[in-house]
Amino acid sequence: MTVIHIAAVGDILMWQRQIHAAKVAGQNKYSFDSMFQPVAPFLRRADLTIGNLETTLSGRESTYQRRQPKTGWPMFNCPDELAPALKRAGFDVLVTANNHCMDRGISGLRRTLGVLDKVGIKHTGTYRTYAESQQYLIKNVKGIRVGILSYTYGTNGNKVPADARYAVNYIHMGKIKTDLKRIKQKSDVVIVVYHFGQEFHRYPNARQKALVKHAFQNGADIVFGVHPHVLQPTTLQWVAQSHGNKKRKFAIYSLGNFISDKMMSDPYSASGVIMNLQLQKQSNGTVTMQKITGIPTWVHKIHTKSRVKFRVLPVRKYLKTPDGLLTKSDIRTMHTVNRNTSVHLKV
């Protein structure tokens, strides 16, 4: 019998103020480690930790955040130093299929994957070559083979070149069904990460529910949703298998923001959850879900004379033992986050 612990978080966003906060004074380099230091122990203790990288790593620029001329949508890029900081924080896999993966074009998409490779973070959802797009990400975690797939609803109108259509996994039910059939043959557990839903809506829409149902019916065991930037509910379902038995499957429609700025003060968009799943493989090869828990997180902004500093806090730990950087207002907000998370997700 083997037991593994999988952790997952939502959107990793890097706005201009966050990048400015990471700038090392007087030097042309950046350090993001302090942003993740409070929550890193909770990420590192998992056997497999997954997040959604919602920025590109496209190389040095004077201004990392741009606006798309036609739509006004933000277009993200971040210094390479983010990648090793995420590795040190405990991330093993980053999904990269999202609406910002083409923010610096196909060259930025490809460079991002190269930076992740250099620090040893696995990735899926976007690809540099056709051959790479045909290789499924399957992580061997203590003898349990975990297959991971990632898809996005779109790329904010930034089109993939006609000769590189393989570069981004878009949400197409036919492709998802085919991918699930193939990866299931090589995996003990299959995770699908969907970049879908409506931003800042706290409940899933019909499309999200249909896509989760489709994934479950075609072999996915776990679905993690990202993109809405706020938490959405979980669902635990018994799904009939081809041999007639039923299997328990889990989804969370949105994990919320892991780290972001967007200058929004409401606790919903400044919070997320570390979703923890304990899986057990029996001697006959069957893998079952044993325990599901969540750790509420909150992005704490510390205002100084020169800049705003950011850190991701595990809410319950810091409510129990607040440090000197938290104000009374911060503590009240964390109580709200903890209450909202507990009620909304039943964790």
Side-chain angles (χ1 to χ4, degrees):
M1 183 178 69
T2 304
V3 176
I4 64 171
H5 170 196
I6 295 175
V9 305
D11 306 316
I12 300 167
L13 286 151
M14 283 291 154
W15 295 82
Q16 193 66 43
R17 284 204 308 176
Q18 293 167 272
I19 294 170
H20 179 63
K23 183 75 165 59
V24 178
Q27 301 182 47
N28 185 28
K29 64 180 183 179
Y30 297 81
S31 176
F32 294 89
D33 292 84
S34 62
M35 297 183 185
F36 309 114
Q37 186 274 328
V39 80
F42 297 90
L43 303 176
R44 293 179 191 140
R45 73 185 186 189
D47 299 301
L48 176 66
T49 299
I50 303 168
N52 168 46
L53 181 65
E54 199 151 355
T55 183
T56 67
L57 305 170
S58 299
R60 285 285 200 260
E61 294 180 340
S62 57
T63 302
Y64 285 93
Q65 187 184 317
R66 302 178 187 171
R67 292 280 171 177
Q68 197 179 89
K70 291 183 180 180
T71 65
W73 281 321
M75 300 175 68
F76 293 111
N77 182 24
C78 187
D80 293 355
E81 287 92 331
L82 176 63
L86 291 172
K87 179 67 175 179
R88 287 189 289 268
F91 285 95
D92 304 294
V93 172
L94 293 172
V95 295
T96 52
N98 55 61
N99 58 312
H100 290 288
C101 64
M102 283 290 294
D103 279 3
R104 293 296 188 272
I106 192 67
S107 61
L109 180 152
R110 288 169 174 159
R111 188 181 185 281
T112 299
L113 303 184
V115 174
L116 296 180
D117 284 343
K118 287 180 182 178
V119 300
I121 295 178
K122 297 294 184 181
H123 47 82
T124 189
T126 60
Y127 311 97
R128 287 162 287 197
T129 65
Y130 175 77
E132 189 173 84
S133 73
Q134 300 303 297
Q135 300 298 313
Y136 294 119
L137 175 58
I138 301 172
K139 289 279 292 181
N140 189 315
V141 184
K142 295 167 64 175
I144 298 178
R145 300 167 300 169
V146 182
I148 306 168
L149 298 168
S150 166
Y151 305 91
T152 180
Y153 73 91
T155 50
N156 285 354
N158 296 309
K159 294 183 179 179
V160 176
D163 62 350
R165 295 190 187 279
Y166 54 79
V168 178
N169 270 358
Y170 290 100
I171 294 174
H172 294 301
M173 285 191 169
K175 173 175 171 50
I176 294 166
K177 183 176 181 179
T178 298
D179 287 343
L180 283 168
K181 181 179 179 180
R182 291 174 178 172
I183 200 170
K184 192 70 178 174
Q185 295 171 352
K186 304 175 183 179
S187 308
D188 299 304
V189 178
V190 176
I191 297 171
V192 171
V193 184
Y194 280 135
H195 203 87
F196 65 176
Q198 294 171 274
E199 291 184 314
F200 310 111
H201 284 237
R202 296 186 63 231
Y203 292 89
N205 57 31
R207 174 69 168 166
Q208 287 172 276
K209 292 178 181 178
L211 284 166
V212 168
K213 181 179 180 181
H214 178 264
F216 283 168
Q217 289 177 337
N218 287 282
D221 300 292
I222 299 163
V223 176
F224 294 129
V226 292
H227 176 64
H229 306 304
V230 291
L231 288 169
Q232 291 184 347
T234 61
T235 178
L236 196 59
Q237 302 177 16
W238 287 94
V239 180
Q241 306 296 288
S242 58
H243 46 67
N245 294 337
K246 288 187 175 182
K247 187 173 185 181
R248 193 166 71 148
K249 302 192 175 190
F250 170 83
I252 177 169
Y253 289 101
S254 173
L255 288 155
N257 279 334
F258 179 63
I259 187 166
S260 183
D261 179 14
K262 204 168 171 38
M263 303 183 188
M264 298 187 72
S265 58
D266 72 277
Y268 295 122
S269 62
S271 64
V273 68
I274 303 173
M275 209 73 236
N276 293 301
L277 306 179
Q278 183 178 297
L279 307 181
Q280 181 176 297
K281 186 176 182 179
Q282 308 292 343
S283 56
N284 64 0
T286 303
V287 176
T288 57
M289 241 171 292
Q290 296 296 304
K291 191 175 181 181
I292 302 168
T293 58
I295 299 171
T297 62
W298 177 63
V299 181
H300 182 211
K301 300 177 186 179
I302 305 166
H303 294 265
T304 69
K305 290 183 179 180
S306 59
R307 54 186 167 179
V308 181
K309 295 182 179 180
F310 299 79
R311 59 178 185 162
V312 184
L313 300 184
V315 169
R316 290 168 185 164
K317 176 183 176 181
Y318 277 75
L319 282 176
K320 186 176 181 180
T321 54
D323 65 14
L325 296 173
L326 290 166
T327 66
K328 290 182 179 179
S329 176
D330 293 331
I331 293 171
R332 285 195 297 270
T333 299
M334 286 199 297
H335 276 294
T336 301
V337 168
N338 188 48
R339 184 168 56 252
N340 290 343
T341 304
S342 300
V343 171
H344 202 54
L345 299 182
K346 305 292 191 298
V347 295

